[in-house]
Amino acid sequence: MRGVSIVGAGQTSFGEHWEKSFKELIAEAGIKAIDDSGLARKDIQAVYGGCMASGRFIGQEHIGALIADQLGLNPIPSTRLEAACASGGVALRNGYIAVASGLYDIVAVGGIEKMTEVSTEDASFALGGAGDQETELFMGATFPALYALMARSHMKEFGTTEEQMASVSVKNHKNAVHNPFAQFRTEITVEQVMQSGYVASPLKLLDCSPISDGAAAVILCASDVAKKMKMDGKAVEIIASTQASDTLALAHRHNLYETRAAKIAADQAYKQAGIKPADVSFAEAHDCFSAAEIMAIEALGFCKQGEGGKFTEQGNTALNGAIPVNTSGGLKACGHPVAATGVKQAIEAYLQLNEMAGKRQVRGAETGLTHNVGGSGATAVVHIYRRL
Ligand code: COA
């Protein structure tokens, strides 16, 4: 296996993009990423594009072909990957595998979702497809409801409080203020979270990631080729790429308070990179709901099982904390156009490791980690990064 590096990155802002089409979002992110790499379109040998539910959201399928066409990349192979909210992370991993194996030297990886063209009810139904249709979606369980069950279980098992969960959202909104691409660039307080209405108890509006539009793209290059082509100025190497699976249905899980696939993927990633959780300088974790970030930081080994709520409330995951988590604003405040998220997380790692994150820069950042989850934890993808 060869080393693989990110040599270019680009994204649209996340939010409601009624003025831009699906194709325009792809073009904006893709062209920015190609331009950032300094490469020409002819240098790109394949495309891996994550997209969860474009058929339901905008009536468009065949996204692989659409991306190549839109970016003027025909006739190279271009493939869509779907793993619910982990579609972007899985696309990144498949692009990584293609380059690491020696099949290609340079590939483009993207993630796209346009979710705001349908009503919240229709978006909830489309997102519900990430869970088990028979025992969850068709029984009326939306994603806030499924994560509410997990949050309740964590509260019951470990005494985690709603205020501790609120502190995740407060921190992520605070970070998003400094992210020009974020959907919500306003600070909020624990009191505001507590007073926002229940969506699925104990999760309130401000515990939830929003429904968003957006696209993100990166260019991957074999590290030796990047060095030879003198593209290593900003190159960030992916030093671990792992993925694990768990049961689709919550009802079949061992318990509801931990995310096993994420823990397995994280353990394997640390082994692959030859590092420990304490060596990570910052992480982008999949905070689709505030409680999910608490379970994520436990699975990633940043704190002990059951202590994620307290760990967050004490400021350990803040920008100036022991392990800054979601410097981009996370899914909560940066927005969550589902398949774009996993790629946007990689872009945040690229920016942080190049000291290009502006006011949300983590001082002395050396090693970054991203954690992208599909469904209620059935797919988990972890990547670890360092400057080449
Ligand atoms: N955080 C902060 N503000 C939010 C928000 C969120 N998650 N969602 C909506 N808002 C704001 C909107 O900006 C809007 O503000 P405005 O009145 O000032 O313009 C207001 O709340 C109402 O927005 P609306 O779109 O009508 O909200 P909604 O009630 O239809 O949807 C949720 C709110 C929480 C139900 C929806 O965002 C949701 O389903 N989120 C979860 C998405 C999800 O499951 N993703 C997959 C995760 S695995």
Side-chain angles (χ1 to χ4, degrees):
M1 297 283 269
R2 302 188 290 176
V4 180
S5 293
I6 299 174
V7 295
Q11 71 167 100
T12 67
S13 59
F14 285 4
E16 291 185 4
H17 279 302
W18 292 344
E19 79 296 357
K20 283 182 193 163
S21 70
F22 186 81
K23 288 181 180 174
E24 284 169 331
L25 292 172
I26 289 174
E28 186 180 329
I31 290 168
K32 277 184 184 170
I34 297 169
D35 286 352
D36 185 47
S37 71
L39 290 161
R41 281 178 172 71
K42 66 174 175 41
D43 298 319
I44 297 169
Q45 296 164 301
V47 176
Y48 295 85
C51 182
M52 178 187 166
S54 53
R56 286 222 169 111
F57 288 129
I58 59 158
Q60 175 74 59
E61 305 289 11
H62 209 173
I63 305 307
L66 186 150
I67 295 174
D69 200 15
Q70 185 65 11
L71 293 176
L73 295 172
N74 289 337
I76 62 169
S78 181
T79 308
R80 169 183 179 172
L81 293 105
E82 187 276 311
C85 304
S87 299
V90 166
L92 178 67
R93 180 166 155 73
N94 279 270
Y96 165 89
I97 291 168
V99 176
S101 67
L103 183 60
Y104 302 119
D105 286 337
I106 299 169
V107 303
V109 169
I112 168 85
E113 215 74 58
K114 193 158 193 344
M115 305 167 71
T116 67
E117 306 234 348
V118 297
S119 65
T120 301
E121 290 75 12
D122 288 346
S124 300
F125 189 75
L127 291 166
D132 184 52
Q133 191 197 46
E134 288 172 11
T135 62
E136 294 169 346
L137 181 62
F138 289 177
M139 296 296 150
T142 60
F143 261 80
L146 295 176
Y147 272 91
L149 289 171
M150 296 164 77
R152 276 270 171 243
S153 172
H154 204 277
M155 291 167 82
K156 183 166 178 279
E157 193 70 23
F158 305 112
T160 303
T161 65
E162 291 187 42
E163 286 80 1
Q164 288 171 346
M165 293 193 275
S167 67
V168 171
S169 301
V170 170
K171 165 188 65 77
N172 291 348
H173 269 254
K174 190 169 184 182
N175 291 343
V177 169
H178 304 299
N179 185 350
F181 296 111
Q183 184 161 351
F184 297 119
R185 299 186 65 190
T186 44
E187 288 204 39
I188 55 172
T189 62
V190 169
E191 292 68 36
Q192 281 172 305
V193 182
M194 295 301 289
Q195 281 162 21
S196 61
Y198 279 111
V199 175
S201 172
L203 301 176
K204 295 164 282 294
L205 176 72
L206 294 176
D207 287 297
C208 301
S209 60
I211 289 168
S212 321
D213 306 326
V218 293
I219 308 298
L220 301 184
C221 180
S223 299
D224 55 347
V225 175
K227 281 184 185 158
K228 215 180 294 167
M229 290 174 74
K230 305 237 174 302
M231 287 196 309
D232 49 344
K234 287 194 296 183
V236 163
E237 190 161 57
I238 298 174
I239 59 171
S241 174
T242 59
Q243 181 179 341
S245 309
D246 202 345
T247 67
L248 195 60
L250 277 186
H252 299 151
R253 298 265 166 90
H254 188 67
N255 64 55
L256 298 191
Y257 54 76
E258 65 180 344
T259 50
R260 281 194 160 188
K263 178 154 179 36
I264 291 164
D267 288 348
Q268 289 175 353
Y270 291 131
K271 202 166 163 202
Q272 208 176 93
I275 65 166
K276 295 191 193 62
D279 299 320
V280 176
S281 318
F282 64 90
E284 286 287 299
H286 198 94
D287 59 319
C288 47
F289 299 94
S290 55
E293 183 173 311
I294 289 173
M295 287 180 236
I297 59 175
E298 293 172 4
L300 295 170
F302 298 147
C303 62
K304 286 196 191 132
Q305 169 97 70
E307 293 185 2
K310 210 189 301 167
F311 192 74
T312 305
E313 195 173 44
Q314 289 169 347
N316 291 298
T317 54
L319 195 55
N320 59 358
I323 167 71
V325 175
N326 282 326
T327 55
S328 70
L331 285 58
K332 170 67 203 81
C334 187
H336 185 30
V338 284
T341 286
V343 182
K344 178 223 78 181
Q345 292 177 326
I347 294 179
E348 184 68 8
Y350 174 80
L351 294 176
Q352 287 287 352
L353 293 170
N354 277 304
E355 299 198 349
M356 287 163 61
K359 285 189 177 163
R360 62 184 200 284
Q361 181 64 46
V362 175
R363 283 199 183 175
E366 279 183 3
T367 307
L369 180 149
T370 59
H371 157 268
N372 189 202
V373 168
S376 57
T379 300
V381 193
V382 174
H383 287 94
I384 301 179
Y385 314 78
R386 266 199 192 145
R387 273 295 298 273
L388 179 60

